[in-house]
Amino acid sequence: MTSTQPIWDDSVLPFQLDLADVRGRVARLDGALNAILGQHDYPPAIEALVAETALLTALIGQTIKLRWKLSLQVRGNGAARLVATDYYGPTEDGQPARIRAYASYDKGRLDPNAEPFSQIGEGYFAILIDQGEGMLPYQGITPISGKSLAECAASYFAQSEQIPTDFKLSYGRSQLPGRSEGWRAGGVMIQHMPKASPFAKDATGEGGLLAAADLVHGEDADHWNRATVLMQTAEEMELIGPNVTPDRLLYRLFHEESPRIYDRQPIVFGCSCSEEKVRNSLSIYSAKDIAHMTTAEGTVTADCQFCGAHYVLDPATVGFEGRGEAAVE
């Protein structure tokens, strides 16, 4: 049976504008995003926040090395308490990256008439990079600011990396001919190539934070401003529609900048949960502690917040006093 899914869905396409000293990525999420949201019955506002966060994660995560993990977390004091995503770098060259996401929210505080971003409230935007066993993880944090998570991400790169960054995103429910309604997301991310010793002017961003314009000067500023203006002309259907492929979009936007396109990186929905990890997480508890976790049916259960997997364990086999025998039903 031949797949009807366009080759550009669920992928990231890296590119570089040599004349402007700018690099970037174009991303589209289709099946992977629907698999993420299909694990839960989120209200529309939370679905939109998860979709935007997953798209940002795909765009940012493409730069990490093989077998690394990049996590993006949005925490706030509003109705949307947490949006968390993980992007797992491919295990080998040519293999797909994996992405997963989930959200925690207070249903009673959600305002169905308010913009999704406003329901985060005050909080922070964080990126964490796990380089693998034996390596210290990297973490960068910036306050929630601006009018969207994309603006938070741009602010993060300005503060933590001093790299001018900008995004143009689109996401929402749509229906292609011959296919059922589902979520689609697409976006472009650009960054000015980092300098050896960046020098920032006075911070002009919200709340005294650095903005991209504070990090580029002279000819660099001219190139950067031109690239951002061109990127912002991308239309919604160019970002998520089936008729304009990402390579054609890049040439439409940046043909005068001589875009150089690299290999496409496919993305799939994937979770890293397992019975072994559940057992490891329970290994710090005594038999007395495990007894408090045991259900009336005589089992210890655990659910994965990302993929909904349900684990059922024999309490006698978990904890540091258990026998460690497998007992998943």
Side-chain angles (χ1 to χ4, degrees):
M1 181 176 178
T2 302
S3 173
T4 59
Q5 178 172 331
I7 189 174
W8 293 107
D9 283 352
D10 295 325
S11 66
V12 181
L13 185 69
F15 67 92
Q16 189 163 314
L17 309 178
D18 291 326
L19 298 181
D21 211 17
V22 167
R23 64 187 177 190
R25 273 86 71 190
V26 181
R28 286 189 177 172
L29 295 179
D30 178 81
L33 180 57
N34 280 289
I36 287 170
L37 294 173
Q39 309 299 319
H40 307 276
D41 186 19
Y42 292 137
I46 301 301
E47 282 190 313
L49 290 173
V50 172
E52 184 177 7
T53 309
L55 180 57
L56 288 169
T57 303
L59 286 164
I60 298 169
Q62 189 275 332
T63 61
I64 66 173
K65 296 182 179 180
L66 295 177
R67 293 177 292 277
W68 286 16
K69 182 179 81 168
L70 180 142
S71 300
L72 195 156
Q73 292 187 5
V74 178
R75 290 185 179 271
N77 62 3
R81 295 190 295 251
L82 169 69
V83 182
T85 62
D86 289 327
Y87 179 101
Y88 297 90
T91 55
E92 302 290 343
D93 285 324
Q95 296 297 309
R98 292 177 295 139
I99 191 170
R100 65 179 189 172
Y102 86 95
S104 174
Y105 61 97
D106 186 339
K107 185 176 181 179
R109 296 174 61 196
L110 279 176
D111 181 353
N113 299 314
E115 289 293 321
F117 180 75
S118 70
Q119 306 203 53
I120 298 171
E122 297 179 351
Y124 65 81
F125 178 102
I127 290 179
L128 304 88
I129 299 177
D130 183 351
Q131 304 176 48
E133 188 174 352
M135 300 293 291
L136 291 175
Y138 164 83
Q139 176 176 294
I141 297 175
T142 192
I144 295 293
S145 62
K147 300 178 181 179
S148 68
L149 290 175
E151 290 188 20
C152 290
S155 177
Y156 163 84
F157 281 105
Q159 314 315 305
S160 298
E161 310 290 340
Q162 297 230 327
I163 298 176
T165 305
D166 198 12
F167 299 87
K168 180 64 180 289
L169 308 182
S170 181
Y171 47 88
R173 286 187 170 274
S174 66
Q175 185 171 6
L176 298 179
R179 301 175 65 181
S180 58
E181 184 184 69
W183 275 86
R184 289 180 63 83
V188 184
M189 171 186 181
I190 58 172
Q191 294 184 308
H192 196 275
M193 301 291 282
K195 302 298 182 182
S197 301
F199 172 76
K201 299 183 294 186
D202 293 337
T204 61
E206 180 179 320
L209 298 174
L210 286 170
D214 302 326
L215 302 170
V216 286
H217 319 285
E219 188 177 11
D220 284 342
D222 293 338
H223 288 319
W224 174 249
N225 291 337
R226 176 175 170 78
T228 58
V229 168
L230 291 173
M231 182 188 68
Q232 292 300 329
T233 66
E235 298 177 357
E236 181 178 29
M237 290 307 296
E238 290 181 305
L239 294 172
I240 66 172
N243 297 323
V244 180
T245 60
D247 55 343
R248 287 174 55 196
L249 173 60
L250 288 177
Y251 283 113
R252 205 279 290 170
L253 296 175
F254 303 117
H255 60 276
E256 293 185 2
E257 314 298 322
S258 300
R260 181 152 40 116
I261 297 174
Y262 297 95
D263 292 339
R264 163 185 171 270
Q265 172 62 65
I267 303 174
V268 297
F269 169 72
C271 192
S272 63
C273 73
S274 67
E275 178 191 342
E276 179 182 6
K277 290 184 177 181
V278 173
R279 289 183 176 279
N280 286 340
S281 69
L282 294 172
S283 64
I284 63 174
Y285 297 104
S286 67
K288 183 177 180 180
D289 294 326
I290 295 298
H292 287 295
M293 304 177 194
T294 302
T295 68
E297 291 74 27
T299 61
V300 173
T301 64
D303 295 316
C304 176
Q305 294 173 305
F306 287 98
C307 71
H310 182 65
Y311 296 94
V312 182
L313 306 174
D314 181 346
T317 67
V318 294
F320 62 76
E321 296 172 295
R323 298 190 300 273
E325 300 170 358
V328 172
E329 295 180 357

